[in-house]
């Protein structure tokens, strides 16, 4: 058996002009995850990331915490969908900055609606692949891991959408369930798959053992 560790990026800059960069807390979350891996003597035989800045910065923090360096394989099929483009399919007017609880909830209600319609093929968000193409980008990465890293430990850093899609693919969930999985994944959460050359199996989902200590109680974030 091999083990694939799928990690969602650290907290990004939600509500800011450039979401695709880690916040100060996102950097701390990433380094702490690397420290957790090091404390358990875990070393990775392969590193894979999406090509977004927040993916690269998260991996850099993990490696810093582990006291290691690495040469990751960049895989653009592991990049997140464009949430603004998805929302624009159901709400073409500009949204106010989600800086209150109600605006935050409104943002994610629209995102759920847009995702459901994109997955069903009803809408085509500007600049994005079809949902089938998005799924293929994720499943091709899983195929690569199975074909090339059997018996090893592989770290894959991506986003909530691709990780939820991977889980949904392995478990055969409905699109509605995949959306709910997506929106529950916490920053730097770990999802584990065991794998053979033929299949993946889910071992754990959305765990944050590196943030269990009282000192990190307020480090748990979702966006």
């Amino acid at each position: 058996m091999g083990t694939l560790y799928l990690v969602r990026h650290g907290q990004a800059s939600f509500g800011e002009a450039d979401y695709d960069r880690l916040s100060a807390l996102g950097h701390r979350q990433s380094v702490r995850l690397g420290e957790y891996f090091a404390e358990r003597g875990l070393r990775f035989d392969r590193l894979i990331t999406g090509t977004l800045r927040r993916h690269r910065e998260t991996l850099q923090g993990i490696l810093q915490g582990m006291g290691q360096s690495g040469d990751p394989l960049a895989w653009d099929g592991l990049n997140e969908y464009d949430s603004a483009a998805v929302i624009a399919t159901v709400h073409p007017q500009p949204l106010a900055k989600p800086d209150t609880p109600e605006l935050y909830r409104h943002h994610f209600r629209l995102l759920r609606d847009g995702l459901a319609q994109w997955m069903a093929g009803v809408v085509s968000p500007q600049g994005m692949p079809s949902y089938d193409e998005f799924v293929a980008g994720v499943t091709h990465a899983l195929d690569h891991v199975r074909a090339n890293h059997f018996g090893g430990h592989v770290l894959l850093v991506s986003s909530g959408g691709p990780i939820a899609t991977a889980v949904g693919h392995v478990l055969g969930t409905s699109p509605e369930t995949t959306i709910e999985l997506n929106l529950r994944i916490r920053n730097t959460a770990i999802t584990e798959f065991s794998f053979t050359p033929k299949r993946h199996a889910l071992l754990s989902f959305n765990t944050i053992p590196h943030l269990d200590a009282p000192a990190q109680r307020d480090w748990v974030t979702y966006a």
Side-chain angles (χ1 to χ4, degrees):
M1 286 283 185
T3 305
L4 173 61
Y5 299 79
L6 303 98
V7 171
R8 187 188 175 204
H9 60 80
Q11 184 190 54
S13 299
F14 182 70
E16 301 299 327
D18 181 12
Y19 174 75
D20 191 24
R21 57 185 176 84
L22 295 191
S23 67
L25 176 56
H27 283 288
R28 294 197 299 273
Q29 291 168 334
S30 303
V31 172
R32 176 65 198 118
L33 178 55
E35 292 170 346
Y36 169 82
F37 286 146
E39 289 161 4
R40 279 144 188 81
L42 185 57
R43 298 185 68 88
F44 296 106
D45 303 295
R46 191 49 161 144
L47 306 170
I48 305 174
T49 71
T51 63
L52 300 178
R53 176 179 175 180
R54 58 190 182 271
H55 300 157
R56 297 192 304 269
E57 290 182 345
T58 299
L59 179 60
Q60 289 166 2
I62 292 170
L63 292 175
Q64 178 185 334
M66 296 181 75
Q68 297 180 17
S69 59
D71 182 23
L73 171 64
W75 196 286
D76 60 11
L78 295 171
N79 289 347
E80 185 64 288
Y81 54 76
D82 182 343
S83 60
V86 171
I87 290 173
T89 64
V90 295
H91 190 282
Q93 298 79 21
L95 283 177
K97 182 176 179 178
D99 53 6
T100 68
E102 179 50 39
L103 288 174
Y104 183 89
R105 289 191 292 270
H106 180 59
H107 175 95
F108 284 99
R109 282 195 295 268
L110 292 173
L111 181 59
R112 276 189 175 87
D113 187 12
L115 286 172
Q117 296 198 41
W118 173 50
M119 290 174 160
V122 175
V123 299
S124 299
Q126 185 173 6
M128 279 178 47
S130 69
Y131 180 61
D132 286 346
E133 291 168 335
F134 181 83
V135 172
V138 175
T139 58
H140 289 166
L142 297 181
D143 293 344
H144 170 84
V145 170
R146 289 200 318 275
N148 294 279
H149 302 293
F150 175 60
H153 290 88
V154 179
L155 175 64
L156 185 156
V157 179
S158 182
S159 292
I163 293 172
T165 298
V167 173
H169 173 73
V170 168
L171 297 182
T173 64
S174 67
E176 294 78 12
T177 299
T178 300
I179 292 171
E180 292 308 312
L181 292 172
N182 178 183
L183 299 180
R184 295 292 183 268
I185 300 177
R186 297 168 288 190
N187 295 114
T188 64
I190 307 163
T191 294
E192 295 172 272
F193 290 170
S194 64
F195 66 91
T196 69
K198 292 186 176 180
R199 64 188 293 268
H200 285 89
L202 181 66
L203 293 177
S204 70
F205 174 70
N206 194 29
T207 66
I208 48 172
H210 55 298
L211 303 181
D212 276 349
Q216 283 85 43
R217 195 166 292 157
D218 58 353
W219 289 23
V220 180
T221 57
Y222 289 83

